[in-house]
């Protein structure tokens, strides 16, 4: 329901590092600075929640991505959960904060 630009920006988790959320044409994409394998399209599901499907399908770790929205209507952070019980990565301890852009 929110414009996709609501979510774009750079986010940081102290352990996982930086992640870029960007618009590519009319699609939202997730790109990890630490691992090129953790890059893929975000598919909208319901309010502020997306499914990340990694472009490298050998990575068995697709995820739920849930954005936190502040009072101004912009994303202030995001959390992730594994999409499948069989996922290679458990995202539940990650807590991304949006990095303020100058």
């Amino acid at each position: 329901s929110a414009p996709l630009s609501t979510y774009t920006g750079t986010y940081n988790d102290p352990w996982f590092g930086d992640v870029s959320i960007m618009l590519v044409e009319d699609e939202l994409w997730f790109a990890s600075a630490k691992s090129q394998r953790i890059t893929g399209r975000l598919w909208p599901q319901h309010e502020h929640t997306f499914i990340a499907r990694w472009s490298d399908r050998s990575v068995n770790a697709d995820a739920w991505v849930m954005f936190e929205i502040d009072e101004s209507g912009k994303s202030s952070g995001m959390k992730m959960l594994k999409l499948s019980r069989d996922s290679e990565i458990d995202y539940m301890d990650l807590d991304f904060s949006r990095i303020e852009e100058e």
Side-chain angles (χ1 to χ4, degrees), residues 5-32:
S5 60
T6 301
Y7 311 107
T8 59
T10 303
Y11 297 79
N12 178 271
D13 173 81
W15 180 83
F16 195 83
D18 288 351
V19 167
S20 295
I21 304 295
M22 61 203 129
L23 275 173
V24 178
E25 297 179 12
D26 290 333
E27 300 171 347
L28 207 57
W29 282 75
F30 180 111
S32 167

Side-chain angles (χ1 to χ4, degrees), residues 16 30 32 35-40 52-63 80 82-84 86-91:
F16 195 83
F30 180 111
S32 167
S35 174
Q36 292 180 344
R37 296 179 68 208
I38 307 294
T39 298
R53 296 217 186 266
W54 309 130
S55 298
D56 182 341
R57 297 309 297 156
S58 70
V59 178
N60 179 24
D62 291 342
M80 297 173 69
K82 61 185 177 179
L83 186 62
S84 167
D86 301 327
S87 177
E88 295 173 357
I89 300 172
D90 189 349
Y91 302 98

Side-chain angles (χ1 to χ4, degrees), residues 55-76:
S55 298
D56 182 341
R57 297 309 297 156
S58 70
V59 178
N60 179 24
D62 291 342
W64 290 102
V65 178
M66 292 119 352
F67 290 93
E68 300 160 351
I69 305 300
D70 65 19
E71 60 281 347
S72 72
K74 284 294 266 181
S75 175
S76 59

Side-chain angles (χ1 to χ4, degrees), residues 11-19 34 78-79 93-99:
Y11 297 79
N12 178 271
D13 173 81
W15 180 83
F16 195 83
D18 288 351
V19 167
K34 278 189 178 177
M78 68 178 175
K79 296 198 182 291
D93 291 329
L94 301 181
D95 188 11
F96 290 91
S97 297
R98 185 186 191 116
I99 297 173

